[in-house]
Coordinates of all heavy atoms in Angstrom, one line a residue:
M24 N 14.9 4.8 -7.8 CA 14.0 3.7 -7.7 C 14.1 3.2 -6.2 O 15.1 2.8 -5.8 CB 14.4 2.6 -8.6 CG 14.2 2.9 -10.1 SD 14.4 1.5 -11.1 CE 16.0 1.8 -11.7
A25 N 12.9 3.2 -5.6 CA 12.9 2.9 -4.2 C 11.8 1.7 -3.9 O 10.9 1.6 -4.7 CB 12.5 4.1 -3.3
N26 N 12.0 1.0 -2.9 CA 11.1 0.0 -2.5 C 10.3 0.6 -1.3 O 10.9 1.0 -0.3 CB 11.7 -1.3 -2.0 CG 12.3 -2.1 -3.2 OD1 11.9 -1.9 -4.3 ND2 13.2 -3.0 -2.9
I27 N 9.0 0.7 -1.5 CA 8.1 1.3 -0.5 C 7.0 0.4 -0.1 O 6.6 -0.5 -0.9 CB 7.5 2.6 -1.2 CG1 8.6 3.5 -1.6 CG2 6.4 3.2 -0.3 CD1 8.2 4.5 -2.7
S28 N 6.6 0.5 1.2 CA 5.5 -0.4 1.6 C 4.3 0.5 2.1 O 4.5 1.6 2.6 CB 6.0 -1.3 2.8 OG 6.3 -0.6 3.9
Y29 N 3.2 -0.1 1.9 CA 2.0 0.5 2.4 C 1.3 -0.6 3.3 O 1.0 -1.7 2.8 CB 1.0 1.0 1.3 CG -0.3 1.5 2.0 CD1 -0.3 2.7 2.7 CD2 -1.4 0.7 1.9 CE1 -1.5 3.1 3.3 CE2 -2.6 1.1 2.5 CZ -2.6 2.3 3.2 OH -3.8 2.8 3.8
I30 N 1.1 -0.2 4.5 CA 0.5 -1.2 5.5 C -0.7 -0.5 6.1 O -0.7 0.7 6.5 CB 1.6 -1.5 6.6 CG1 2.7 -2.3 5.9 CG2 1.0 -2.2 7.8 CD1 3.9 -2.5 6.8
R31 N -1.8 -1.3 6.2 CA -3.0 -0.9 6.9 C -3.6 -1.9 7.8 O -3.6 -3.1 7.4 CB -4.1 -0.5 5.8 CG -5.3 0.1 6.5 CD -6.4 0.4 5.4 NE -6.9 -0.8 4.8 CZ -7.8 -1.7 5.4 NH1 -8.2 -1.4 6.7 NH2 -8.2 -2.7 4.8
V32 N -3.9 -1.5 9.0 CA -4.7 -2.3 9.9 C -6.0 -1.5 10.1 O -6.1 -0.3 9.9 CB -4.0 -2.6 11.2 CG1 -2.7 -3.5 11.0 CG2 -3.5 -1.3 11.9
S33 N -7.0 -2.3 10.5 CA -8.3 -1.7 10.6 C -8.7 -0.8 11.7 O -9.6 -0.1 11.7 CB -9.4 -2.8 10.5 OG -9.3 -3.5 9.3
A34 N -7.8 -0.8 12.8 CA -8.1 0.0 14.0 C -6.8 0.4 14.7 O -5.8 -0.3 14.6 CB -9.0 -0.8 15.0
A35 N -6.9 1.4 15.5 CA -5.7 1.9 16.1 C -5.1 0.9 17.1 O -3.9 1.0 17.4 CB -6.1 3.2 16.9
D36 N -5.9 0.0 17.7 CA -5.4 -0.9 18.6 C -4.8 -2.2 18.0 O -4.4 -3.1 18.7 CB -6.4 -1.3 19.7 CG -7.7 -2.0 19.1 OD1 -7.9 -1.9 17.9 OD2 -8.4 -2.6 19.9
Q37 N -4.9 -2.3 16.7 CA -4.3 -3.5 16.0 C -2.8 -3.3 15.7 O -2.4 -2.1 15.5 CB -5.1 -3.7 14.7 CG -6.5 -4.2 15.0 CD -7.2 -4.6 13.7 OE1 -7.0 -4.0 12.6 NE2 -8.1 -5.5 13.7
N38 N -2.1 -4.4 15.7 CA -0.7 -4.4 15.5 C -0.3 -4.6 14.0 O -0.7 -5.7 13.5 CB -0.1 -5.5 16.4 CG 1.4 -5.5 16.4 OD1 2.1 -4.9 15.5 ND2 2.0 -6.1 17.3
P39 N 0.5 -3.7 13.4 CA 0.9 -3.9 12.0 C 2.1 -4.8 11.9 O 2.6 -5.0 10.8 CB 1.2 -2.5 11.6 CG 1.7 -1.8 12.8 CD 0.9 -2.4 13.9
G40 N 2.6 -5.4 13.0 CA 3.8 -6.2 13.0 C 3.8 -7.3 12.0 O 4.9 -7.6 11.3
R41 N 2.8 -8.1 11.8 CA 2.7 -9.2 10.9 C 3.0 -8.7 9.5 O 3.8 -9.3 8.7 CB 1.4 -9.9 10.9 CG 1.3 -11.2 10.0 CD 0.0 -11.8 10.0 NE -1.1 -11.0 9.5 CZ -1.3 -10.7 8.2 NH1 -0.6 -11.3 7.3 NH2 -2.3 -9.9 7.8
Q42 N 2.4 -7.6 9.1 CA 2.6 -7.1 7.7 C 4.0 -6.6 7.6 O 4.7 -6.7 6.5 CB 1.6 -6.0 7.4 CG 0.2 -6.5 7.2 CD -0.8 -5.3 6.9 OE1 -0.6 -4.7 5.9 NE2 -1.7 -5.2 7.8
Q43 N 4.5 -5.9 8.6 CA 5.9 -5.4 8.6 C 6.9 -6.5 8.5 O 7.9 -6.4 7.7 CB 6.2 -4.5 9.8 CG 5.4 -3.2 9.8 CD 5.4 -2.5 11.1 OE1 5.3 -3.1 12.2 NE2 5.4 -1.2 11.0
E44 N 6.7 -7.7 9.1 CA 7.6 -8.8 9.0 C 7.6 -9.3 7.6 O 8.7 -9.8 7.1 CB 7.1 -9.9 10.0 CG 7.4 -9.6 11.4 CD 6.9 -10.7 12.4 OE1 6.7 -11.8 11.9 OE2 6.8 -10.4 13.6
L45 N 6.5 -9.3 6.9 CA 6.4 -9.8 5.5 C 7.3 -8.9 4.6 O 7.7 -9.4 3.6 CB 5.0 -9.8 5.0 CG 4.1 -10.9 5.6 CD1 2.6 -10.6 5.1 CD2 4.5 -12.3 5.2
M46 N 7.5 -7.7 5.0 CA 8.3 -6.8 4.2 C 9.8 -6.8 4.5 O 10.5 -6.1 3.8 CB 7.7 -5.3 4.3 CG 6.3 -5.2 4.2 SD 5.8 -5.4 2.5 CE 4.0 -5.3 2.6
A47 N 10.1 -7.5 5.6 CA 11.5 -7.4 6.1 C 12.6 -7.7 5.1 O 13.6 -7.1 5.1 CB 11.6 -8.4 7.3
D48 N 12.3 -8.6 4.1 CA 13.4 -8.9 3.1 C 13.2 -8.1 1.8 O 13.8 -8.5 0.8 CB 13.4 -10.4 2.9 CG 12.1 -10.9 2.2 OD1 11.1 -10.2 2.2 OD2 12.1 -12.0 1.6
K49 N 12.4 -7.1 1.8 CA 12.1 -6.4 0.5 C 13.0 -5.1 0.4 O 12.7 -4.3 -0.5 CB 10.6 -6.0 0.5 CG 9.7 -7.2 0.6 CD 9.9 -8.2 -0.5 CE 9.0 -9.4 -0.3 NZ 9.5 -10.6 -0.7
N50 N 13.9 -4.8 1.3 CA 14.7 -3.7 1.3 C 13.9 -2.4 1.2 O 14.1 -1.5 0.3 CB 15.7 -3.8 0.1 CG 16.8 -2.8 0.2 OD1 17.2 -2.4 1.3 ND2 17.4 -2.4 -0.9
I51 N 12.9 -2.3 2.1 CA 12.0 -1.1 2.1 C 12.7 0.1 2.6 O 13.4 0.1 3.7 CB 10.8 -1.4 3.0 CG1 10.0 -2.7 2.6 CG2 9.9 -0.2 3.2 CD1 9.4 -2.6 1.2
S52 N 12.6 1.2 1.8 CA 13.3 2.4 2.2 C 12.3 3.4 2.9 O 12.7 4.3 3.6 CB 14.0 3.1 1.0 OG 13.0 3.4 0.0
K53 N 11.0 3.2 2.6 CA 10.0 4.1 3.2 C 8.7 3.3 3.4 O 8.3 2.6 2.5 CB 9.7 5.3 2.3 CG 8.7 6.3 2.7 CD 9.3 7.3 3.6 CE 8.3 8.4 3.9 NZ 8.6 9.1 5.1
E54 N 8.2 3.4 4.6 CA 6.9 2.7 5.0 C 5.8 3.8 5.2 O 6.0 4.8 5.9 CB 7.1 1.9 6.3 CG 5.8 1.3 6.8 CD 6.0 0.6 8.1 OE1 6.6 -0.5 8.1 OE2 5.6 1.2 9.1
F55 N 4.6 3.5 4.7 CA 3.5 4.3 5.0 C 2.5 3.4 5.7 O 2.3 2.2 5.3 CB 2.9 4.8 3.7 CG 3.7 5.8 3.0 CD1 4.7 5.4 2.1 CD2 3.6 7.2 3.4 CE1 5.6 6.4 1.5 CE2 4.5 8.1 2.8 CZ 5.4 7.7 1.9
L56 N 1.8 3.9 6.8 CA 1.0 3.1 7.6 C -0.3 3.9 7.9 O -0.3 5.1 8.2 CB 1.7 2.8 9.0 CG 1.0 2.2 10.1 CD1 0.6 0.7 9.7 CD2 1.8 2.2 11.3
D57 N -1.4 3.1 7.9 CA -2.7 3.6 8.3 C -3.2 2.7 9.3 O -3.1 1.4 9.2 CB -3.7 3.8 7.2 CG -3.5 5.0 6.4 OD1 -3.4 6.1 7.0 OD2 -3.5 5.0 5.1
K58 N -3.9 3.2 10.4 CA -4.6 2.4 11.4 C -6.0 2.8 11.4 O -6.5 3.5 12.3 CB -3.9 2.6 12.8 CG -2.5 1.9 12.9 CD -2.1 2.0 14.3 CE -0.8 1.1 14.5 NZ -0.5 1.0 15.9
Q59 N -6.7 2.5 10.3 CA -8.1 2.8 10.2 C -8.8 2.0 9.1 O -8.1 1.3 8.3 CB -8.3 4.3 9.9 CG -7.8 4.8 8.6 CD -7.9 6.3 8.5 OE1 -7.0 7.0 9.0 NE2 -8.9 6.7 7.8
S60 N -10.1 2.0 9.1 CA -10.8 1.2 8.1 C -10.4 1.6 6.7 O -10.0 2.7 6.4 CB -12.3 1.5 8.3 OG -13.0 1.0 7.2
G61 N -10.5 0.6 5.8 CA -10.3 0.8 4.4 C -11.5 1.1 3.6 O -11.6 0.9 2.4
K62 N -12.6 1.6 4.3 CA -13.9 1.8 3.6 C -13.8 2.8 2.5 O -14.6 2.8 1.6 CB -14.9 2.3 4.7 CG -14.6 3.7 5.2 CD -15.7 4.1 6.3 CE -15.2 5.3 6.9 NZ -16.2 6.4 6.8
D63 N -12.8 3.7 2.5 CA -12.6 4.6 1.4 C -11.1 4.9 1.3 O -10.3 4.4 2.0 CB -13.4 5.9 1.5 CG -13.1 6.7 2.8 OD1 -12.0 6.8 3.2 OD2 -14.1 7.2 3.4
T64 N -10.7 5.8 0.4 CA -9.3 6.1 0.2 C -8.9 7.4 0.9 O -7.7 7.8 0.7 CB -9.0 6.2 -1.3 OG1 -9.8 7.2 -1.9 CG2 -9.2 4.9 -2.0
A65 N -9.7 7.9 1.7 CA -9.4 9.2 2.5 C -8.6 8.8 3.7 O -9.1 9.0 4.9 CB -10.6 10.0 2.8
R66 N -7.4 8.2 3.5 CA -6.6 7.8 4.6 C -5.2 8.6 4.5 O -4.6 8.6 3.4 CB -6.3 6.3 4.6 CG -7.6 5.5 4.7 CD -7.4 4.0 4.8 NE -6.7 3.4 3.7 CZ -7.2 2.9 2.6 NH1 -8.5 2.9 2.4 NH2 -6.4 2.3 1.6
P67 N -4.8 9.1 5.6 CA -3.5 10.0 5.5 C -2.3 9.2 5.0 O -1.6 9.8 4.2 CB -3.3 10.5 6.9 CG -4.4 10.0 7.8 CD -5.3 9.1 7.0
G68 N -2.1 8.0 5.4 CA -0.9 7.2 5.0 C -1.0 6.9 3.5 O 0.0 7.0 2.8
L69 N -2.2 6.5 3.0 CA -2.4 6.2 1.6 C -2.2 7.4 0.8 O -1.5 7.4 -0.2 CB -3.8 5.7 1.4 CG -4.2 5.4 -0.1 CD1 -3.3 4.3 -0.6 CD2 -5.6 5.0 -0.2
Q70 N -2.8 8.6 1.2 CA -2.6 9.8 0.4 C -1.1 10.3 0.4 O -0.6 10.7 -0.7 CB -3.5 10.9 0.9 CG -5.0 10.5 0.7 CD -5.4 10.2 -0.7 OE1 -5.0 10.9 -1.6 NE2 -6.1 9.1 -0.9
A71 N -0.5 10.1 1.5 CA 1.0 10.5 1.6 C 1.8 9.6 0.7 O 2.7 10.1 0.0 CB 1.5 10.4 3.0
M72 N 1.5 8.3 0.7 CA 2.2 7.4 -0.2 C 2.0 7.7 -1.7 O 2.9 7.8 -2.5 CB 1.8 6.0 0.1 CG 2.4 4.9 -0.8 SD 1.6 4.6 -2.4 CE 0.0 3.9 -1.9
L73 N 0.8 8.0 -2.1 CA 0.5 8.3 -3.4 C 1.2 9.6 -3.9 O 1.6 9.7 -5.0 CB -1.0 8.5 -3.7 CG -1.8 7.2 -3.6 CD1 -3.3 7.5 -3.6 CD2 -1.4 6.2 -4.7
E74 N 1.4 10.5 -3.0 CA 2.1 11.7 -3.3 C 3.6 11.5 -3.4 O 4.4 12.1 -4.2 CB 1.9 12.8 -2.2 CG 0.4 13.3 -2.2 CD 0.3 14.8 -2.4 OE1 1.3 15.5 -2.3 OE2 -0.8 15.2 -2.6
Y75 N 4.1 10.5 -2.6 CA 5.6 10.3 -2.4 C 6.1 9.5 -3.6 O 7.3 9.7 -4.0 CB 5.8 9.5 -1.1 CG 7.2 9.2 -0.8 CD1 8.1 10.1 -0.2 CD2 7.8 8.0 -1.2 CE1 9.4 9.8 0.1 CE2 9.1 7.6 -0.9 CZ 9.9 8.6 -0.3 OH 11.2 8.2 0.0
V76 N 5.4 8.5 -4.1 CA 6.0 7.5 -5.0 C 6.3 8.2 -6.3 O 5.7 9.2 -6.8 CB 5.0 6.3 -5.3 CG1 4.9 5.4 -4.1 CG2 3.6 6.8 -5.8
R77 N 7.4 7.7 -7.0 CA 7.9 8.2 -8.2 C 8.1 7.1 -9.2 O 8.1 5.9 -8.9 CB 9.2 8.9 -8.0 CG 9.2 10.1 -6.9 CD 8.5 11.3 -7.5 NE 8.5 12.4 -6.6 CZ 7.4 12.7 -5.8 NH1 6.3 12.0 -5.9 NH2 7.5 13.7 -5.0
E78 N 8.2 7.5 -10.5 CA 8.5 6.6 -11.5 C 9.7 5.7 -11.2 O 10.7 6.1 -10.7 CB 8.8 7.3 -12.8 CG 9.0 6.4 -14.0 CD 9.1 7.1 -15.3 OE1 9.0 8.4 -15.4 OE2 9.4 6.5 -16.3
G79 N 9.5 4.4 -11.4 CA 10.5 3.4 -11.1 C 10.4 2.8 -9.7 O 11.1 1.8 -9.4
D80 N 9.7 3.4 -8.8 CA 9.5 2.8 -7.5 C 8.7 1.5 -7.5 O 7.9 1.3 -8.5 CB 8.7 3.8 -6.6 CG 9.6 5.0 -6.2 OD1 10.8 5.0 -6.4 OD2 9.0 6.0 -5.6
T81 N 8.9 0.7 -6.5 CA 8.1 -0.5 -6.3 C 7.3 -0.4 -5.0 O 7.9 -0.1 -4.0 CB 8.9 -1.8 -6.3 OG1 9.6 -1.9 -7.6 CG2 8.1 -3.0 -6.1
L82 N 6.0 -0.5 -5.1 CA 5.1 -0.5 -3.9 C 4.8 -1.9 -3.5 O 4.2 -2.6 -4.3 CB 3.9 0.3 -4.1 CG 2.9 0.4 -3.0 CD1 3.5 1.1 -1.8 CD2 1.6 1.0 -3.4
Y83 N 5.1 -2.3 -2.2 CA 4.7 -3.6 -1.7 C 3.6 -3.4 -0.8 O 3.5 -2.6 0.1 CB 5.9 -4.2 -0.9 CG 7.0 -4.6 -1.8 CD1 8.1 -3.8 -2.2 CD2 7.1 -5.9 -2.3 CE1 9.1 -4.2 -3.0 CE2 8.1 -6.3 -3.1 CZ 9.1 -5.5 -3.4 OH 10.1 -5.9 -4.3
I84 N 2.6 -4.3 -0.9 CA 1.5 -4.4 0.0 C 1.3 -5.9 0.4 O 1.7 -6.8 -0.4 CB 0.2 -3.9 -0.7 CG1 -0.2 -4.6 -2.0 CG2 0.2 -2.4 -0.9 CD1 -1.5 -4.3 -2.6
E85 N 0.7 -6.1 1.5 CA 0.5 -7.5 2.0 C -0.6 -8.2 1.1 O -0.4 -9.3 0.7 CB 0.1 -7.5 3.5 CG -0.1 -8.9 4.1 CD -1.5 -9.4 4.0 OE1 -2.4 -8.6 3.9 OE2 -1.7 -10.6 4.0
S86 N -1.6 -7.4 0.8 CA -2.7 -7.9 0.0 C -3.5 -6.8 -0.6 O -3.4 -5.7 0.0 CB -3.6 -8.9 0.8 OG -4.3 -8.1 1.8
I87 N -4.2 -7.1 -1.6 CA -5.1 -6.0 -2.2 C -6.0 -5.4 -1.2 O -6.3 -4.2 -1.2 CB -5.8 -6.6 -3.4 CG1 -4.8 -6.9 -4.5 CG2 -6.9 -5.7 -3.9 CD1 -5.4 -7.6 -5.7
S88 N -6.5 -6.2 -0.3 CA -7.5 -5.7 0.7 C -6.9 -4.6 1.7 O -7.6 -3.9 2.3 CB -8.1 -6.8 1.5 OG -7.1 -7.4 2.4
R89 N -5.6 -4.6 1.8 CA -4.9 -3.6 2.6 C -4.8 -2.3 1.9 O -4.8 -1.2 2.5 CB -3.5 -4.0 3.0 CG -3.4 -5.4 3.8 CD -4.1 -5.3 5.1 NE -5.5 -5.7 5.0 CZ -6.4 -5.3 5.9 NH1 -6.1 -4.7 7.0 NH2 -7.7 -5.7 5.7
L90 N -4.8 -2.3 0.6 CA -4.8 -1.1 -0.2 C -6.2 -0.5 -0.4 O -6.4 0.7 -0.3 CB -4.1 -1.4 -1.6 CG -3.8 -0.2 -2.5 CD1 -2.8 0.7 -1.8 CD2 -3.2 -0.7 -3.8
A91 N -7.2 -1.4 -0.7 CA -8.5 -0.9 -0.9 C -9.5 -2.1 -0.6 O -9.2 -3.2 -0.8 CB -8.7 -0.5 -2.3
R92 N -10.7 -1.7 -0.1 CA -11.7 -2.7 0.3 C -12.7 -3.0 -0.8 O -13.5 -3.8 -0.7 CB -12.4 -2.3 1.6 CG -11.5 -2.2 2.8 CD -10.9 -3.5 3.2 NE -12.0 -4.4 3.7 CZ -11.8 -5.7 3.8 NH1 -10.6 -6.3 3.6 NH2 -12.8 -6.5 4.3
N93 N -12.7 -2.2 -1.8 CA -13.6 -2.5 -2.9 C -12.9 -2.3 -4.3 O -11.9 -1.6 -4.4 CB -14.9 -1.6 -2.8 CG -14.7 -0.2 -3.1 OD1 -14.2 0.2 -4.1 ND2 -15.0 0.7 -2.1
T94 N -13.5 -2.9 -5.3 CA -12.8 -3.0 -6.6 C -12.6 -1.6 -7.2 O -11.6 -1.3 -7.8 CB -13.6 -3.9 -7.5 OG1 -13.7 -5.2 -6.9 CG2 -12.9 -4.0 -8.9
A95 N -13.7 -0.7 -7.1 CA -13.6 0.6 -7.7 C -12.4 1.4 -7.1 O -11.7 2.0 -7.8 CB -14.9 1.3 -7.5
D96 N -12.3 1.4 -5.7 CA -11.2 2.1 -5.1 C -9.9 1.5 -5.5 O -8.9 2.3 -5.8 CB -11.3 2.1 -3.6 CG -12.4 3.0 -3.0 OD1 -12.9 3.9 -3.8 OD2 -12.8 2.9 -1.9
F97 N -9.8 0.2 -5.5 CA -8.5 -0.4 -5.9 C -8.1 0.0 -7.3 O -7.0 0.3 -7.6 CB -8.6 -2.0 -5.9 CG -7.4 -2.6 -6.4 CD1 -6.2 -2.6 -5.8 CD2 -7.4 -3.2 -7.7 CE1 -5.0 -3.2 -6.3 CE2 -6.3 -3.8 -8.2 CZ -5.1 -3.8 -7.5
L98 N -9.1 0.0 -8.3 CA -8.7 0.4 -9.7 C -8.3 1.8 -9.8 O -7.4 2.1 -10.5 CB -9.9 0.1 -10.6 CG -10.3 -1.4 -10.8 CD1 -11.5 -1.6 -11.6 CD2 -9.1 -2.1 -11.4
R99 N -8.9 2.7 -9.0 CA -8.5 4.1 -9.0 C -7.1 4.3 -8.5 O -6.3 5.0 -9.1 CB -9.5 5.0 -8.2 CG -10.7 5.4 -8.9 CD -11.5 6.4 -8.2 NE -12.2 5.9 -7.0 CZ -13.3 5.3 -6.9 NH1 -14.0 5.0 -8.1 NH2 -13.8 4.9 -5.8
V100 N -6.8 3.6 -7.3 CA -5.4 3.7 -6.8 C -4.4 3.0 -7.7 O -3.4 3.6 -8.0 CB -5.4 3.0 -5.4 CG1 -3.9 2.9 -4.9 CG2 -6.2 3.8 -4.4
F101 N -4.8 1.9 -8.3 CA -3.9 1.2 -9.2 C -3.6 2.1 -10.4 O -2.4 2.2 -10.9 CB -4.5 -0.1 -9.7 CG -3.6 -0.9 -10.7 CD1 -2.5 -1.6 -10.3 CD2 -4.0 -0.8 -12.0 CE1 -1.7 -2.2 -11.2 CE2 -3.2 -1.5 -12.9 CZ -2.0 -2.2 -12.5
E102 N -4.6 2.7 -10.9 CA -4.4 3.6 -12.1 C -3.5 4.8 -11.8 O -2.6 5.2 -12.6 CB -5.7 4.1 -12.6 CG -5.6 5.1 -13.8 CD -4.9 4.5 -15.0 OE1 -4.8 3.3 -15.2 OE2 -4.2 5.3 -15.7
Q103 N -3.6 5.4 -10.6 CA -2.7 6.4 -10.1 C -1.3 5.9 -10.1 O -0.4 6.6 -10.5 CB -3.1 7.0 -8.7 CG -4.4 7.8 -8.7 CD -4.7 8.3 -7.3 OE1 -5.4 7.6 -6.6 NE2 -4.3 9.4 -7.0
L104 N -1.1 4.8 -9.6 CA 0.3 4.2 -9.5 C 0.8 3.9 -10.9 O 1.9 4.3 -11.2 CB 0.3 2.9 -8.7 CG -0.1 3.0 -7.2 CD1 -0.3 1.7 -6.5 CD2 1.0 3.8 -6.4
R105 N 0.0 3.3 -11.7 CA 0.4 3.0 -13.1 C 0.8 4.3 -13.9 O 1.8 4.3 -14.6 CB -0.7 2.3 -13.8 CG -0.2 1.7 -15.2 CD -1.4 1.3 -16.1 NE -2.2 2.4 -16.5 CZ -1.9 3.4 -17.3 NH1 -0.8 3.4 -17.9 NH2 -2.8 4.3 -17.6
A106 N 0.0 5.3 -13.7 CA 0.2 6.6 -14.4 C 1.6 7.2 -14.0 O 2.2 7.9 -14.8 CB -0.9 7.6 -14.2
K107 N 2.0 6.9 -12.7 CA 3.2 7.5 -12.2 C 4.4 6.5 -12.6 O 5.6 6.9 -12.3 CB 3.2 7.6 -10.7 CG 2.3 8.8 -10.3 CD 2.4 9.0 -8.8 CE 2.4 10.4 -8.4 NZ 2.8 10.7 -7.1
G108 N 4.1 5.4 -13.1 CA 5.2 4.4 -13.4 C 5.7 3.6 -12.2 O 6.8 3.2 -12.2
V109 N 4.8 3.4 -11.3 CA 5.1 2.7 -10.1 C 4.6 1.2 -10.2 O 3.5 1.0 -10.6 CB 4.4 3.3 -8.8 CG1 4.6 2.5 -7.6 CG2 4.9 4.7 -8.7
R110 N 5.5 0.3 -9.9 CA 5.2 -1.1 -9.9 C 4.5 -1.5 -8.6 O 5.0 -1.2 -7.5 CB 6.5 -1.9 -10.1 CG 6.4 -3.4 -10.2 CD 7.7 -4.0 -10.5 NE 7.7 -5.4 -10.3 CZ 8.3 -6.1 -9.4 NH1 9.2 -5.5 -8.6 NH2 8.2 -7.4 -9.3
L111 N 3.4 -2.3 -8.7 CA 2.7 -2.7 -7.5 C 3.0 -4.2 -7.3 O 2.8 -5.0 -8.3 CB 1.2 -2.5 -7.6 CG 0.3 -3.0 -6.5 CD1 0.6 -2.3 -5.2 CD2 -1.1 -2.8 -6.9
V112 N 3.3 -4.6 -6.1 CA 3.5 -6.0 -5.7 C 2.7 -6.3 -4.6 O 2.8 -5.7 -3.5 CB 5.0 -6.3 -5.4 CG1 5.2 -7.8 -4.9 CG2 5.9 -6.0 -6.6
S113 N 1.7 -7.3 -4.8 CA 0.9 -7.8 -3.7 C 1.4 -9.2 -3.3 O 1.4 -10.1 -4.1 CB -0.6 -7.9 -4.1 OG -1.4 -8.4 -3.1
L114 N 1.9 -9.3 -2.1 CA 2.5 -10.5 -1.6 C 1.5 -11.7 -1.5 O 1.8 -12.8 -2.0 CB 3.2 -10.3 -0.3 CG 4.3 -9.2 -0.3 CD1 4.8 -9.0 1.1 CD2 5.4 -9.6 -1.3
K115 N 0.3 -11.5 -1.0 CA -0.6 -12.5 -0.8 C -1.1 -13.1 -2.1 O -1.2 -14.3 -2.3 CB -1.8 -12.0 0.0 CG -2.9 -13.1 0.3 CD -4.0 -12.6 1.1 CE -5.0 -13.6 1.4 NZ -6.1 -13.1 2.2
E116 N -1.4 -12.2 -3.0 CA -1.9 -12.6 -4.3 C -0.8 -13.0 -5.3 O -1.1 -13.6 -6.4 CB -2.8 -11.5 -5.0 CG -4.2 -11.3 -4.3 CD -4.1 -10.4 -3.1 OE1 -3.1 -9.7 -2.8 OE2 -5.2 -10.4 -2.4
G117 N 0.4 -12.7 -5.0 CA 1.5 -13.1 -5.8 C 1.6 -12.3 -7.1 O 2.0 -12.9 -8.1
I118 N 1.1 -11.1 -7.1 CA 1.2 -10.2 -8.3 C 2.0 -9.0 -8.0 O 2.2 -8.6 -6.9 CB -0.2 -9.8 -8.8 CG1 -1.0 -9.2 -7.7 CG2 -0.9 -11.0 -9.3 CD1 -2.3 -8.6 -8.1

C-alpha cells in the first residue's frame, strides 16, 4: 500500500510546486507529473501512473481538474482506479 500523487500543470513553463507542497504531508512514495493540457487522457505521466498503481494504494490529486478536464474522462480514469482497488483522494474537493 503506497501513497502516490498525480500532478498536472497545463504547460511546460508552469511550476508544479504549489501542488507538490499540498502533498508534502501525505507521505508520498511516488509522484507522477505531466506538464501539458488535460484535454484528453493521452498524457505520459497519467498513463504511467495508471500502470503503476496497485490494489490498496491511495492516489492523491490536488483537484479533479488536474486528473481530467471533462466528466467522461474523469469517470473512465476513476473506473480504472476503482477496478484496481485504488483509493482516490482529491484535496480541493475533500473527497
Side-chain angles (χ1 to χ4, degrees):
M24 291 192 260
N26 289 342
I27 297 156
S28 67
Y29 175 73
I30 294 171
R31 183 184 66 77
V32 292
S33 298
D36 63 343
Q37 290 182 329
N38 185 344
R41 182 184 63 78
Q42 291 178 62
Q43 290 167 323
E44 286 176 20
L45 290 172
M46 308 291 173
D48 65 342
K49 306 300 181 215
N50 196 27
I51 301 297
S52 59
K53 181 83 171 161
E54 174 186 283
F55 292 89
L56 171 67
D57 278 314
K58 289 188 169 191
Q59 66 186 81
S60 169
K62 67 181 173 123
D63 59 40
T64 59
R66 302 185 302 267
L69 177 64
Q70 295 305 314
M72 178 274 295
L73 289 170
E74 296 235 350
Y75 180 86
V76 292
R77 301 289 181 259
E78 184 175 354
D80 288 348
T81 300
L82 175 66
Y83 288 90
I84 56 174
E85 183 268 337
S86 67
I87 290 172
S88 70
R89 301 298 85 201
L90 190 61
R92 295 298 292 167
N93 68 62
T94 303
D96 284 346
F97 173 73
L98 291 174
R99 278 191 290 277
V100 171
F101 179 78
E102 179 56 29
Q103 287 179 274
L104 295 169
R105 189 195 64 74
K107 287 184 143 194
V109 176
R110 179 175 169 243
L111 176 65
V112 176
S113 176
L114 301 174
K115 182 177 180 181
E116 288 84 11
I118 55 174

